[in-house]
Amino acid sequence: MAAAGETDESRQAVSQTMKEAFDNPLTDEDDEEEEILASDHEESTQTVLATTLKVSNSRNPDLQRMAIDSLSSEDQDAHDIFVTIDDPRKHVTKMETYATYKVSTRTTRGDFDHPEYTLRRRYTDFLWLRHKLEETQPTHLVPPLPEKHSMKIYVDRFCKEFLVTRQRALNKFVTRIAEHPTLSFNEYFKIFLTAKAWELSAHRKMKPSFVSVIGSSVKTNASAYMLKNRSPEYTMMWEYIHTFGDKMGSVDRISQRILKEQTEYREHLSNFGPAFRLLSEYEIDLSDVLNAFAKSIESCAKGMDPVVEGSELYFTPLIKEYILYSDSVKSVLKKRDKFQMEYELAVDEITRKKNEREQVKISDQNYSVGAMLGKDPEEVKEQKGNKIEAHIQKLQKQVEFLNDKTEVANADLKADLDRWHRNKRKDTKEAFIGMADRQISFYENMLSGWEDVMHILREQDLELPAPPQPSFSSPKDSHNSSSESSSWVQIEGAEGGS
């Protein structure tokens, strides 16, 4: 009962923390704030469409590719490709032990050579895919992968329970990619789904240089500190996702404690039932009652199985996934800040050059190096002005490109965050409904078992002692009563002696 009480308290703590974590502070009262993160999907799609149509007129091929990638409607939302991950297998070789998962693909897309593919992939292959998606689609929110050694409840990484839990997480990962209107058309996603093992190995060997990776990472992290004019809506996104990650971390810690308590409670019940059965062999008169007790306790222990398994397979992985999702959102926000920082630096540079051009117009070139070499001062001034003007024209094109690039990143981020919020609400609803159903089934089963015990007790017509009556006297009255009783005992003893 103590364990059950602690579990109830922990469950209440999880409920309160989950409410705070999923209560989006950006969508409570302010209608303007609601448009930022919880707008209708149609509105988000129109935003992406309008932005990308504007940018698609750019002469830069990279920017045109980004615009075309963003031109995706709901009808393209992965109804033409279906990917399933199942059948985890353990492989033991002389060099290593690893697990593979069967990847089954069905598609009607014309750029695939066959309508169906079946192959096996390792966890490192999924990791490679995610890195490539982040590298080639920096403005989009790439779903997270389960961490390689994050499931601490399993001692053996290759036990059946661990592999099944990871298989479910990997299946959700590829499903989210397949349902994404842009990521599902990525070249590396197609390679992952169709390439043979040796072909995929060849692609994995082509890695960017270490210096370029470090340089890009430093620039991305520094953008948050160098940014001057971040829009308030993105500041609110930062604040929300940081709070969300912290709250979900608290939920994860409490849910892990609940899962541990539930597992221990199930073990205790499993040991408690047989103890009554052994006792019934010696207490013949009470054997029916003791066996009924044992049966009810064993039924309760068996009823805990779906509760524990549900927490292990559904609730706990969901919490971990959204903790990792918060990190992914932070990464995309940093990249968006990086694009805006590059735009702001280019604007500052063009402003500096324009000021320099004005200084040249009013400057005296009689003492310049060119004039000292025999050139006409006015000609020197004109050459300097033309050089600065050419640089300004070049910077102007760069500013336009970076501005369009930032707008595309903003549109992609808003659309992906809108999709993320919808998935979050859907996943949370399914997880809570499943948890409620399992708890209801458990307590209904427990109630039925103990009602059977009560029925047997009434049939036995056992004479049970009346429960002790509670005392409402104060400690002081109790002390006085005991003193009076001892005094009467002393008096009676004295009279008996006389």
Side-chain angles (χ1 to χ4, degrees), residues 190-239:
K190 178 183 176 183
I191 292 174
F192 174 83
L193 298 177
T194 61
K196 297 180 180 179
W198 65 269
E199 294 175 333
L200 185 63
S201 178
H203 283 285
R204 289 181 54 183
K205 291 180 179 178
M206 296 184 294
K207 299 180 180 179
S209 64
F210 178 76
V211 176
S212 63
V213 172
I214 294 298
S216 177
S217 177
V218 171
K219 185 181 294 186
T220 301
N221 292 327
S223 61
Y225 303 97
M226 299 177 63
L227 197 62
K228 297 180 179 178
N229 301 312
R230 181 191 288 138
S231 173
E233 61 180 313
Y234 297 106
T235 301
M236 293 167 62
M237 289 181 187
W238 268 108
E239 294 174 353

Side-chain angles (χ1 to χ4, degrees), residues 13-67:
V14 167
S15 176
Q16 178 63 24
T17 312
M18 286 290 287
K19 181 180 182 302
E20 295 175 358
F22 284 97
D23 186 13
N24 189 342
L26 307 181
T27 60
D28 285 343
E29 301 176 355
D30 196 339
D31 293 337
E32 295 180 357
E33 295 176 358
E34 183 175 2
E35 294 176 357
I36 297 174
L37 290 178
S39 60
D40 294 333
H41 180 67
E42 180 180 358
E43 181 181 354
S44 299
T45 304
Q46 291 176 354
T47 303
V48 177
L49 183 63
T51 304
T52 50
L53 282 175
K54 173 184 176 182
V55 178
S56 61
N57 296 324
S58 173
R59 289 172 291 182
N60 188 285
D62 294 333
L63 199 56
Q64 288 179 352
R65 177 186 59 78
M66 293 173 62

Side-chain angles (χ1 to χ4, degrees), residues 105 112-114 117 119 121 189-196 199:
T105 306
F112 284 76
D113 297 333
H114 305 284
Y117 294 86
L119 41 81
R121 293 286 186 248
F189 186 51
K190 178 183 176 183
I191 292 174
F192 174 83
L193 298 177
T194 61
K196 297 180 180 179
E199 294 175 333

